[in-house]
């Protein structure tokens, strides 16, 4: 259908990344619905389609960063390294799209501009930027949590004579750093992955650090044949662990307090976790994220490691000057990040001491008057997380209510999955869901399956409409706040969990910190009680 012609389906999905692909498979192949996926990119992959920056890699271990719904898929796919790199994940998602014949129901290059609920028709009407029109009773957003690039509004960027890039919108042909002076702003997970790779390729790398960050060595390595064999034999047990832990990783959180052991034992536990590498460091004690004194012991261990690795004491002091509790912001893991600062061609600018004043045609000027001459600026400055991508679309529910208006003071959902006033709209991995605190495929499969069961329930009973009640939303928001306040997570001033990284964004702690296992149990119970907290009708 050309512009103007409304194409009707049973369900529409926005996004063909990890969650959109699986949602399509569930609705089409298990329920037999007619489904169309609208995807802005020219291919599948979502986050992994866009984030092609040097060093882009998942911090979840590969054997857990995958779908588990198909035994055959698990059996036939082999990851090559402990942590999957971006190209390998993109190959995997393309493989999934081909294997389950998903592409035929996806429109690529279709960026959704607006979605409007029509109460009389009991359908969502969706329009793309190109003017294509679609309609369906159910609309599922699968737009990801970290997909709306946050490019800081630094004066002078327009006059910069060199080239600049945001890591989340990386050119597909790559960037040649050979002989170039590169400036990188941002030291979150992304900057920490990119810096070592850029430093090896560039003439010079200047890292502009505003907030110092912890990082644990990833200890990435090729997977051995023994591990692959072990994995095939133990997958059921691993999946059980992934479903039982608060964050969906394939390792349990130790059931001991930091203060159950002697300082020597503690040091040995941290040392072993440091050697093993990766996010497991966070799982060494159960109280790291709830007790500041407990957290301090881990924080101090890592600061000491930074001072040990970084040879120049001045650089080490800036890198180790970390003012938030360990893992209260998403903890990066790295491959030779701190070591990179021992290279002759890498310098570090402490933006806390000398903030950026402006960008000039030649580079970045800091408040001390220094002009850092650059050919390329890399913005590793993160995302308008969790809500940015949703609010970019003009979504209007009942009585023309816009989602932007409804969320003016911050996102409010029921279970992260629905919003009062927006019937039949399901949000995957949204605010109020635990997803961003988890190994993502676990919540993604849970969300998509829950939505599928819900739609099946409605269709079996001839119910045309489901909408979260305002009371259920109030209770959930309260519960999300309680869960957050039981942890150290909301205490961090500069956190995208709080929306604090984007100027003007309301400060609301967005993810559900009560844990994935608990969340799953709550969602199951809601469904078992006939979708308690939702108004079903029509
Ligand atoms: P993050 O974690 O949001 O990190 C962004 C970094 O950029 C962080 O160090 C910020 O410092 C810095 N930043 C942002 N804006 C500015 C300005 N204006 N000036 C200087 N520095 C700035 O994004 P990532 O892409 O690294 O990671 C996102 C998630 O992807 C990650 O958590 C994983 O889940 C995967 P700040 O801390 O705000 O002072």
């Amino acid at each position: 259908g050309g512009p103007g012609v409304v194409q009707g389906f049973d369900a529409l999905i926005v996004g063909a990344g990890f969650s959109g692909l699986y949602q399509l498979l569930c609705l089409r192949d298990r329920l037999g619905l007619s489904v169309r996926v609208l995807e802005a990119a020219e291919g599948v992959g979502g986050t992994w389609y866009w984030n092609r920056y040097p060093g882009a890699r998942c911090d979840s271990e590969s054997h857990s960063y995958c779908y588990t719904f198909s035994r055959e898929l698990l059996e036939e796919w082999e990851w090559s390294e402990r942590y999957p790199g971006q190209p390998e994940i993109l190959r995997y998602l393309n493989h999934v799209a081909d294997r389950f014949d998903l592409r035929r129901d996806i429109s690529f290059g279709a960026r959704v501009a607006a979605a409007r609920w029509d109460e009389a028709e009991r359908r969502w009407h969706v329009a793309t930027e190109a003017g294509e029109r679609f309609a369906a009773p159910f609309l599922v957003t699968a737009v990801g949590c970290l997909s709306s690039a946050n490019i800081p509004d630094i004066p002078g960027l327009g006059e910069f004579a060199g080239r600049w890039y945001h890591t989340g919108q990386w050119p597909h042909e790559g960037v040649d750093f050979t002989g170039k002076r590169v400036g990188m702003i941002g030291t979150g997970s992304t900057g920490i992955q990119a810096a070592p790779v850029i430093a090896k390729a560039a003439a010079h790398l200047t890292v502009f650090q505003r907030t110092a960050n912890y990082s644990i060595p990833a200890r990435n390595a090729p997977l051995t044949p023994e591990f692959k064999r072990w994995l095939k034999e133990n997958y059921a047990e691993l999946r059980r662990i992934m479903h039982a832990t608060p964050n969906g990783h394939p390792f349990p959180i130790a059931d001991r307090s930091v203060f159950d052991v002697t300082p020597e034992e503690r040091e040995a536990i941290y040392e072993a976790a440091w050697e093993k590498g990766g996010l497991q460091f966070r799982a060494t004690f159960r109280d790291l994220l709830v007790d500041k004194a407990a957290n301090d012991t881990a924080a101090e261990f890592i600061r000491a490691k930074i001072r040990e690795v970084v040879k120049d004491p001045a650089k080490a002091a800036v890198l180790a000057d970390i003012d938030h509790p360990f893992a209260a912001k998403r903890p990066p893991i790295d491959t030779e990040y701190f070591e990179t600062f021992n290279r002759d061609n890498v310098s570090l600018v402490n933006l806390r001491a000398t903030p950026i004043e402006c960008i000039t045609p030649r580079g970045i000027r800091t408040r001390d008057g220094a002009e850092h001459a650059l050919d390329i600026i890399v913005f590793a400055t993160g995302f308008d997380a969790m809500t940015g991508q949703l609010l970019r679309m003009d979504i209007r529910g009942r009585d023309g209510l816009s989602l932007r208006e409804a969320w003016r003071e911050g996102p409010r959902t029921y279970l992260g999955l629905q919003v009062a006033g927006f019937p039949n709209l399901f949000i995957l991995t949204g605010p109020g869901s635990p997803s961003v605190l988890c190994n993502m495929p676990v919540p993604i499969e849970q969300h998509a399956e829950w939505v599928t069961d819900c739609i099946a329930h409605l269709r079996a009973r001839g119910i045309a409409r489901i909408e979260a009640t305002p009371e259920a939303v109030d209770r959930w928001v309260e519960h999300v706040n309680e869960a957050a306040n039981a942890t150290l997570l909301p205490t961090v001033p500069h956190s995208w969990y709080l929306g604090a990284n984007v100027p003007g964004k309301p400060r609301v702690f967005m993810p559900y910190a009560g844990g994935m296992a608990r969340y799953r149990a709550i969602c199951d119970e809601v469904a078992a009680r006939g979708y308690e907290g939702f108004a079903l009708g029509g």
Side-chain angles (χ1 to χ4, degrees):
V5 181
V6 177
Q7 304 175 56
F9 293 90
D10 293 326
L12 295 167
I13 298 169
V14 188
F18 231 114
S19 60
L21 291 176
Y22 185 50
Q23 188 69 77
L24 166 60
L25 183 146
C26 288
L27 294 179
R28 186 191 70 183
D29 297 352
R30 294 186 195 152
L31 299 192
L33 304 193
S34 69
V35 185
R36 170 103 331 214
V37 178
L38 305 173
E39 167 55 58
E42 293 301 337
V44 301
T47 291
W48 303 107
Y49 178 92
W50 297 108
N51 282 265
R52 301 184 189 222
Y53 62 86
R57 192 176 287 286
C58 183
D59 293 345
S60 290
E61 297 189 40
S62 53
H63 64 285
S64 65
Y65 196 75
C66 53
Y67 298 110
T68 63
F69 67 86
S70 157
R71 186 76 221 175
E72 297 73 36
L73 177 62
L74 278 169
E75 294 280 339
E76 74 200 13
W77 184 264
E78 277 204 356
W79 296 103
S80 65
E81 295 175 279
R82 180 173 172 190
Y83 305 93
Q86 175 271 332
E88 193 167 16
I89 304 172
L90 193 56
R91 274 201 301 283
Y92 171 74
L93 292 172
N94 274 284
H95 169 72
V96 170
D98 291 334
R99 192 190 191 288
F100 297 97
D101 194 15
L102 299 176
R103 263 177 241 282
R104 66 182 152 94
D105 295 305
I106 305 174
S107 295
F108 293 105
R111 186 181 285 283
V112 170
R116 171 179 65 80
W117 171 252
D118 186 314
E119 184 69 49
E121 292 180 16
R122 303 269 159 99
R123 295 199 297 179
W124 280 94
H125 281 260
V126 174
T128 66
E129 282 184 355
E132 273 205 290
R133 293 169 60 196
F134 302 86
F138 297 101
L139 174 62
V140 185
T141 65
V143 293
C145 317
L146 296 158
S147 28
S148 179
N150 172 41
I151 299 168
D153 187 14
I154 303 174
L157 181 57
E159 279 99 78
F160 182 56
R163 301 200 151 251
W164 64 268
Y165 310 94
H166 185 278
T167 51
Q169 301 173 342
W170 204 256
H172 287 193
E173 62 280 14
V175 174
D176 185 4
F177 292 108
T178 318
K180 301 284 197 250
R181 297 162 304 177
V182 183
M184 189 189 80
I185 304 176
T187 50
S189 296
T190 300
I192 282 175
Q193 287 186 338
V197 185
I198 297 175
K200 284 190 189 123
H204 192 90
L205 171 66
T206 307
V207 174
F208 295 85
Q209 173 190 287
R210 185 163 72 182
T211 304
N213 216 341
Y214 303 96
S215 184
I216 308 290
R219 312 248 185 247
N220 188 32
L223 292 179
T224 61
E226 298 77 63
F227 179 83
K228 290 180 191 171
R229 210 168 321 116
W230 175 86
L231 185 62
K232 294 220 154 102
E233 284 158 16
N234 291 280
Y235 206 84
E237 172 61 7
L238 270 169
R239 189 164 187 268
R240 197 195 57 74
I241 296 172
M242 285 158 65
H243 280 206
T245 62
N247 49 27
H249 284 289
F251 44 83
I253 293 182
D255 187 27
R256 63 181 167 216
S257 157
V258 159
F259 303 108
D260 287 345
V261 299
T262 67
E264 294 71 33
E265 286 167 334
R266 193 152 62 226
E267 198 70 8
I269 289 166
Y270 286 147
E271 194 62 54
W274 185 266
E275 277 317 305
K276 189 161 180 52
L279 293 171
Q280 304 198 20
F281 193 95
R282 197 171 58 169
T284 45
F285 295 100
R286 72 168 136 76
D287 45 355
L288 287 181
L289 277 181
V290 294
D291 178 353
K292 178 67 167 55
N295 192 287
D296 284 345
T297 65
E300 207 31 66
F301 177 90
I302 301 171
R303 288 195 195 98
K305 285 288 182 196
I306 298 171
R307 291 187 208 106
E308 199 177 296
V309 170
V310 180
K311 301 282 181 277
D312 174 353
K315 278 185 190 164
V318 171
L319 290 164
D321 184 18
I322 312 170
D323 56 8
H324 58 274
F326 166 66
K329 280 170 85 164
R330 165 68 152 71
I333 67 172
D334 70 274
T335 300
E336 295 181 352
Y337 175 65
F338 294 114
E339 288 82 350
T340 293
F341 292 93
N342 294 333
R343 297 175 63 101
D344 296 337
N345 71 332
V346 175
S347 42
L348 175 64
V349 174
N350 177 7
L351 297 180
R352 286 281 171 87
T354 57
I356 294 176
E357 200 169 71
C358 63
I359 294 174
T360 68
R362 281 196 304 270
I364 293 179
R365 180 175 302 136
T366 42
R367 196 167 295 165
D368 54 350
E371 187 184 57
H372 303 271
L374 302 169
D375 305 305
I376 294 175
I377 300 174
V378 174
F379 288 96
T381 44
F383 303 90
D384 181 353
M386 307 198 72
T387 55
Q389 199 75 346
L390 284 169
L391 297 183
R392 203 152 97 173
M393 300 180 281
D394 183 15
I395 300 181
R396 287 174 191 271
R398 208 160 23 84
D399 309 320
L401 175 69
S402 84
L403 191 61
R404 249 172 250 155
E405 194 56 42
W407 285 4
R408 181 187 282 282
E409 283 163 26
R412 298 177 62 80
T413 67
Y414 180 36
L415 305 172
L417 294 165
Q418 267 219 345
V419 186
F422 296 80
N424 293 13
L425 169 69
F426 295 98
I427 298 173
L428 304 184
T429 70
S433 128
S435 52
V436 294
L437 302 177
C438 297
N439 172 38
M440 275 285 194
V442 175
I444 283 172
E445 285 191 333
Q446 185 270 350
H447 285 12
E449 287 167 7
W450 192 93
V451 168
T452 305
D453 290 347
C454 177
I455 292 177
H457 175 97
L458 300 176
R459 286 173 60 92
R461 286 161 186 77
I463 299 170
R465 190 179 185 292
I466 181 167
E467 183 185 340
T469 66
E471 298 74 32
V473 171
D474 288 347
R475 277 200 308 275
W476 185 249
V477 168
E478 202 176 304
H479 181 57
V480 168
N481 285 328
E482 275 165 16
N485 291 332
T487 73
L488 300 171
L489 271 59
T491 66
V492 184
H494 289 278
S495 160
W496 60 254
Y497 295 153
L498 268 168
N501 64 325
V502 175
K505 190 165 168 170
R507 272 180 159 250
V508 170
F509 190 86
M510 295 182 283
Y512 175 57
M516 183 59 211
R518 188 166 160 203
Y519 174 82
R520 184 191 299 275
I522 295 171
C523 290
D524 287 350
E525 193 167 317
V526 165
R529 293 194 183 163
Y531 295 90
E532 188 176 46
F534 293 96
L536 275 56

